[in-house]
Amino acid sequence: MRTSTYFRASGTALAVALLSACGGGSSADPAHLDATAAAARCADLAGGAGLADTTLTPQYVPAGTRRAGGAATGDFLGGYCVVTGAMNPRTGVDGHHYQIGFQLSLPDDWNGRFLYVGGGGNDGTLRDTTAALGGGLTSPVAQGYAVVSTDAGHQTTLAADFGGDPQARIDHAYNAHDKAAVAAKTIIARRYQKSAAKSYFQGCSGGGRQGMMFSQRFPDYFDGIVAMAPAQRVSSGATVAAMWNNIQFTNAAPLDGNGKPILSQALSSADLQLVATAVTNACDAADGAADGMVNNFKACTFNPAVLQCSGAKTATCLTSTQVTALQNVFGGPHNSSGQALYPGQPWDPGIASAGWRAWTLGTSTTATPNSLYNLLMSDALRNEFFTPPDPGFDILKFNFDTDPQRMEAFSQVYDTYRDTKLSAFQAHGGKLLFVHGLADPIFSPLDTRDYYEKLAASNGGIAATQSFARAFFVPGMNHCSGGPATDSFDALQAVVDWVEKGQAPDSIKATALATSAYFPNRTRPLCPYPKFAKYKGTGSLEDAANFTCESS
């Protein structure tokens, strides 16, 4: 099948025809109606809100109640309407049913803002739009935002078998997101009798890629975007790295009675803690404080060879095979000519945390691995990222000279790392925040750093680029959250203040929750790259007030 045919999108984007008036009859401000009137307006949306080929199912949730499967009641100050939508139903070339699903929550007490929350993984499910955007934060719906999410055009989650349908690929890449954003804005205008004053996006992982996609393909849709751990090269480089890492660790794994490798035992939890402690000892103090966090990651140089056993393996050293695996993983994948295919990873104490293990090694005690490299990433590679799909592909036989070429066609459609100018987004006045954990084992923070530096090179340098885009790196944080990190922070409010008040974030206050196993209640400033949080020299190491953002 020719690539040009395989990736041809069907139809055109829905027209953004925001409605200035609708039925209902109340003379009160429709953004602040009483419960009876708000419930009536919610029910009115069942008519379809003027959207073609769309079915809407609204449900009104009065104040003080909880919708089944929704966020905790205590988050909400009032009632809200949740609309479940299905657009463009069809039968794919694979014989499966497809539709673009979305969920939109509309609070009675609306603040005039629209928020699109991104998905993740292979998508396929509707994210709860009443949920908070992180631990310790308040639900955006409770703050008055109208919030939408989408399943990206298919209804399977871990499996990526939708990749056999060309239109499903297009929907997953961008088309479903375009349609969901347009539909949400149309419904918002009908419900509140006016369009949103400001529109925002926040997502992590695949959601971070979606945010970058909007800044490039639909640059006037959002005023502010938060792209966390963006999967900007997931259909090429990051998945290549996942295959590379999986092979390195599998080669280091002990064998079971049948001669099969037990991946999870390539490095024990004690081994990873040994590495984490050595990284801490080598790099922690470069930020002025021995506090268990490597803030100045650019100054961190570490080689696990210092841990190699001189004799038999003990609890205080690593085997040469383990050392080699770590060196190869953190060095990044390359082909037989030595050409780098994706950045490696920065050394960070977060290597010892459960989130790092979940992606790389898993916990299976048998020769059947359960790491996310083997589950999520392998399925995406076989069914979506390869063109054409190759469902029976053995990921341990990935060829780093030839197989990346099989991923290039879809990368051109799906990946978001090529546009390093963002001219149209800038012209729109958009603001962009990148946030990335330094112990992310799937999407390297060094890839985000490299993209940001290219963005700066295309826009007159760091200072000029910081007028519209800033990058923040979170020491210790695994993929999107977790790890020995201050991983609770309100990036959405930071971008809102930037858009609406002109207050560019010179730092973002981050907290480790009271339940943290590492640094309960610790606070730190997240600093815009290339600055990092440096200890002032006096005061508690648990208090952000005693740190300042400085360059190396």
Side-chain angles (χ1 to χ4, degrees):
M1 185 176 293
R2 296 181 180 177
T3 299
S4 59
T5 301
Y6 199 85
F7 291 121
R8 187 166 58 234
S10 63
T12 58
L14 290 174
V16 187
L18 300 180
L19 306 175
S20 60
C22 64
S26 173
S27 61
D29 181 352
H32 306 279
L33 296 177
D34 62 42
T36 301
R41 285 202 177 273
C42 181
D44 175 65
L45 298 174
L51 295 168
D53 207 18
T54 300
T55 300
L56 300 181
T57 305
Q59 176 192 5
Y60 185 71
V61 183
T65 63
R66 179 178 179 178
R67 179 174 57 86
T73 305
D75 271 348
F76 300 106
L77 303 179
Y80 63 99
C81 175
V82 60
V83 180
T84 303
M87 296 182 289
N88 301 356
R90 63 185 180 84
T91 299
V93 297
D94 54 5
H96 295 160
H97 173 77
Y98 291 96
Q99 63 188 33
I100 298 172
F102 66 91
Q103 180 186 107
L104 174 63
S105 286
L106 303 159
D108 293 354
D109 192 11
W110 185 45
N111 65 13
R113 301 184 180 103
F114 165 51
L115 173 65
Y116 190 125
V117 291
N122 290 324
D123 293 302
T125 188
L126 297 178
R127 181 172 177 178
D128 178 12
T129 50
T130 65
L133 298 180
L137 301 179
T138 301
S139 160
V141 172
Q143 299 178 57
Y145 289 84
V147 183
V148 76
S149 71
T150 181
D151 58 17
H154 58 270
Q155 290 70 52
T156 56
T157 52
L158 188 62
D161 54 2
F162 62 88
D165 180 73
Q167 183 59 45
R169 289 187 173 205
I170 292 293
D171 287 345
H172 192 210
Y174 63 87
N175 186 57
H177 301 288
D178 171 25
K179 298 292 192 293
V182 171
K185 290 187 177 187
T186 302
I187 296 168
I188 286 169
R190 183 175 184 91
R191 162 60 183 85
Y192 299 115
Q193 299 188 18
K194 58 184 176 182
S195 58
K198 296 293 181 182
S199 297
Y200 299 95
F201 179 99
Q202 179 163 328
C204 190
S205 189
R209 182 204 69 87
Q210 293 156 17
M212 292 181 69
M213 178 277 297
F214 273 118
S215 74
Q216 297 166 16
R217 288 185 181 269
F218 309 102
D220 60 346
Y221 277 23
F222 296 100
D223 302 291
I225 293 173
V226 178
M228 294 179 58
Q232 59 181 336
R233 286 209 280 167
V234 63
S235 65
S236 53
T239 302
V240 172
M243 299 304 105
W244 170 271
N245 296 352
N246 189 55
I247 290 172
Q248 308 308 316
F249 287 133
T250 300
N251 289 341
L255 306 180
D256 68 6
N258 296 315
K260 304 283 188 178
I262 305 175
L263 177 62
S264 69
Q265 296 178 12
L267 288 152
S268 69
S269 294
D271 290 334
L272 293 178
Q273 186 56 57
L274 184 67
V275 177
T277 299
V279 171
T280 301
N281 292 339
C283 302
D284 186 5
D287 55 25
D291 58 357
M293 303 176 78
V294 179
N295 291 295
N296 189 5
F297 72 96
K298 292 181 68 176
C300 182
T301 57
F302 176 75
N303 189 335
V306 299
L307 296 173
Q308 186 165 322
C309 302
S310 58
K313 171 76 168 79
T314 70
T316 61
C317 64
L318 301 176
T319 68
S320 61
T321 303
Q322 289 175 317
V323 168
T324 298
L326 287 168
Q327 289 172 328
N328 288 340
V329 166
F330 279 78
H334 58 78
N335 60 23
S336 61
S337 299
Q339 177 187 5
L341 301 176
Y342 189 72
Q345 300 174 19
W347 291 101
D348 187 279
I351 189 176
S353 54
W356 197 90
R357 171 175 285 278
W359 282 93
T360 57
L361 301 170
T363 57
S364 172
T365 57
T366 73
T368 301
N370 67 349
S371 73
L372 289 172
Y373 287 167
N374 278 274
L375 300 179
L376 181 68
M377 303 308 296
S378 63
D379 199 71
L381 171 72
R382 296 179 180 113
N383 291 292
E384 185 177 21
F385 299 161
F386 275 159
T387 302
D390 188 355
F393 180 74
D394 183 350
I395 62 173
L396 292 177
K397 294 181 180 179
F398 190 94
N399 186 309
F400 295 92
D401 289 331
T402 59
D403 283 331
Q405 299 167 21
R406 303 167 65 188
M407 306 164 74
E408 185 59 24
F410 192 56
S411 174
Q412 294 286 338
V413 176
Y414 196 77
D415 285 342
T416 57
Y417 69 90
R418 293 179 176 86
D419 183 352
T420 58
K421 185 70 175 178
L422 303 184
S423 300
F425 185 67
Q426 289 186 68
H428 173 63
K431 307 300 182 187
L432 175 60
L433 287 184
F434 293 105
V435 184
H436 209 141
L438 288 170
D440 188 329
I442 178 60
F443 302 118
S444 175
L446 299 182
D447 193 43
T448 297
R449 179 202 63 183
D450 292 350
Y451 175 83
Y452 188 75
E453 289 184 342
K454 291 175 182 177
L455 190 66
S458 299
N459 285 282
I462 291 285
T465 303
Q466 287 185 333
S467 66
F468 76 95
R470 299 191 175 203
F472 296 80
F473 295 94
V474 188
M477 190 170 82
N478 295 148
H479 185 55
C480 298
S481 64
T486 50
D487 62 344
S488 177
F489 45 85
D490 197 343
L492 176 61
Q493 189 60 52
V495 81
V496 168
D497 289 343
W498 196 2
V499 168
E500 299 182 16
K501 300 179 182 178
Q503 297 175 354
D506 291 326
S507 67
I508 299 174
K509 185 176 180 179
T511 302
L513 298 180
T515 54
S516 168
Y518 304 95
F519 318 114
N521 298 315
R522 172 178 285 185
T523 58
R524 282 288 183 278
L526 303 181
C527 300
Y529 181 82
K531 293 183 177 181
F532 63 92
K534 186 173 183 178
Y535 183 50
K536 293 179 180 179
T538 59
S540 170
L541 292 178
E542 306 308 309
D543 191 346
N546 299 317
F547 290 77
T548 185
C549 291
E550 295 188 15
S551 300
S552 301

